[in-house]
Each structure stands twice: as structure tokens, then as C-alpha cells.
Amino acid sequence: RLECTREVVMVEAKIPMAQVVTCDDVTPMMGLAETPRYYVAEQEKLATLRNLNVFPDGICEAFRQSCADFQMRYWIIDNSGSMSRSDGQRLVTRNGATRRVRSSRWEELGDSLIFHATLAASLGAPTEFRLLNAPAGCPQVVELGMGYKDAEIEQVRAMVATSPVGGTPLCGRIREVVQLVRAREPQLRAAGKRALIVIASDGEPSD
């Protein structure tokens, strides 16, 4: 049985963008060999996190360190039909006041996806968002932290704007990601790095 604790985050979090610097002499990220790897200076990462005025310094430092420890992050995202159920909650801030509003599960998760996508793009932390089901009008897999911040975040916004549909082929998507990580295991071990897998789902797999 697979379960996921849903996370409520602030809508339209104002996350400043750190300056991205091209590193021509850095080996491309494993699995993304055709995409240049970009480097965000460590102090820029800390400044980006501190300027959120959300996290204490210790959490900001932990975020910064995780960018070095985890060479890749995979989000397996449930966009099955059940995610359209209207039993979710969002925190919405308007005119300086924050309140809870009812929403669909997909809308609630969407706030979290945009928040984490903006962090990954701003910090230069290579990340993949992988939907369970192919959506209409946008890619099923979105890469983040590759140095194209605005375009990456817009792709995630387009992903969140789609409608949930289909079953929950969660096991198949997990196996796909496990195969990707296993293929990179020798390089990860040699560099002392890890890969992170996040599963965002509201129920049991259908496969």
C-alpha cells in the first residue's frame, strides 16, 4: 500500500530567482547529456532561500546542502481521475489575509508542485516531474533546474492547468524511475551522491 501525505503551501509564493552561471567545464547531468548543466553559486542559493522569509537559517542550509547531496530528483505525480475530487484544501492569501478554501485534490497538489518547481529552477537543482498519465496540451515529463527558469516554471504551470484523467499506473512509473536510478548507480556511488524519488498520490495503484 502506498500512501502520501498531502502538503498545503502558500499560493503564488514570491520566490526570488538566483543568478544562473553557465559552467562549460562541468560534466552534463547523468541522463540529461544533451542538456547543459548550470551552476548556481552557494551564496546565491542561500540568499534565494532566506529571501523567502519562510524558513529558518537551519532549514535554508539543509536545502542548500541537499542540492549537493542529491544529484537528481524524480517526482512521480498522480494525475488520475480521482485527483479531481473536491475534498482538498488550499491556503489562499488575498489583501494580506490568508484563509483556507475548498479545492480539488489536483488543485491542492498543484500549489505544491509550483512551489517546488520554482525552488528547483531557482536553485539549479535538477528535477523531473513525471505524470502518471499523458496530459492534453503539455509534456508528461518536465525537467527543472536546467538553467531555463521561466520556461521550466511555465511548463509546470501548464501541467497543473490540465485536468486529471485516467487510472493510477503508479507501479509502472515507479519501475521506470527505479530503472533510471539503477542505470546511474555506478556514477552516483563513485561521486558519493544520491537520487531522490517523491511519490505524490492519493491512493493505491491500479496496475
Side-chain angles (χ1 to χ4, degrees):
R1 181 183 295 270
L2 295 170
E3 297 181 353
C4 176
T5 300
R6 289 178 295 170
E7 177 182 3
V8 178
V9 298
M10 299 297 292
V11 178
E12 298 293 334
K14 302 300 183 182
I15 300 178
M17 299 296 190
Q19 182 178 3
V20 178
V21 181
T22 304
C23 291
D24 296 330
D25 59 342
V26 176
T27 303
M29 178 59 57
M30 293 175 294
L32 301 170
E34 297 180 359
T35 305
R37 181 180 178 182
Y38 287 80
Y39 174 75
V40 178
E42 299 304 303
Q43 289 304 312
E44 290 286 346
K45 291 176 183 176
L46 279 176
T48 296
L49 291 162
R50 287 170 177 163
N51 287 339
L52 294 176
N53 295 317
V54 173
F55 306 121
D57 284 348
I59 298 298
C60 290
E61 175 59 27
F63 264 107
R64 185 204 63 78
Q65 185 60 45
S66 74
C67 292
D69 292 342
F70 295 93
Q71 216 170 48
M72 191 65 191
R73 297 148 194 81
Y74 298 95
W75 282 63
I76 301 173
I77 300 165
D78 187 349
N79 65 331
S80 63
S82 63
M83 293 295 288
S84 63
R85 293 179 183 170
S86 298
D87 56 2
Q89 292 187 24
R90 304 167 72 195
L91 288 178
V92 177
T93 301
R94 291 174 182 164
N95 301 321
T98 300
R99 63 188 182 93
R100 293 178 182 270
V101 297
R102 289 184 61 84
S103 70
S104 69
R105 299 175 183 180
W106 180 245
E107 290 170 331
E108 180 181 339
L109 178 59
D111 291 344
S112 182
L113 295 178
I114 291 171
F115 178 82
H116 286 284
T118 306
L119 272 184
S122 302
L123 300 178
T127 302
E128 282 187 8
F129 280 3
R130 307 175 70 91
L131 294 176
L132 295 189
N133 301 296
C138 77
Q140 188 169 356
V141 178
V142 172
E143 295 179 345
L144 301 154
M146 299 293 105
Y148 309 102
K149 294 179 291 188
D150 292 342
E152 291 167 2
I153 295 168
E154 283 306 309
Q155 280 192 313
V156 174
R157 290 189 182 278
M159 174 184 284
V160 168
T162 63
S163 298
V165 64
T168 312
L170 187 56
C171 293
R173 296 293 174 261
I174 291 173
R175 284 192 288 266
E176 290 172 1
V177 171
V178 168
Q179 289 176 356
L180 291 174
V181 175
R182 282 178 175 167
R184 298 160 191 163
E185 181 180 357
Q187 296 97 322
L188 288 169
R189 290 190 180 277
K193 305 297 183 182
R194 292 177 287 174
L196 174 69
I197 301 175
V198 178
I199 300 172
S201 177
D202 67 344
E204 296 182 355
S206 59
D207 59 349

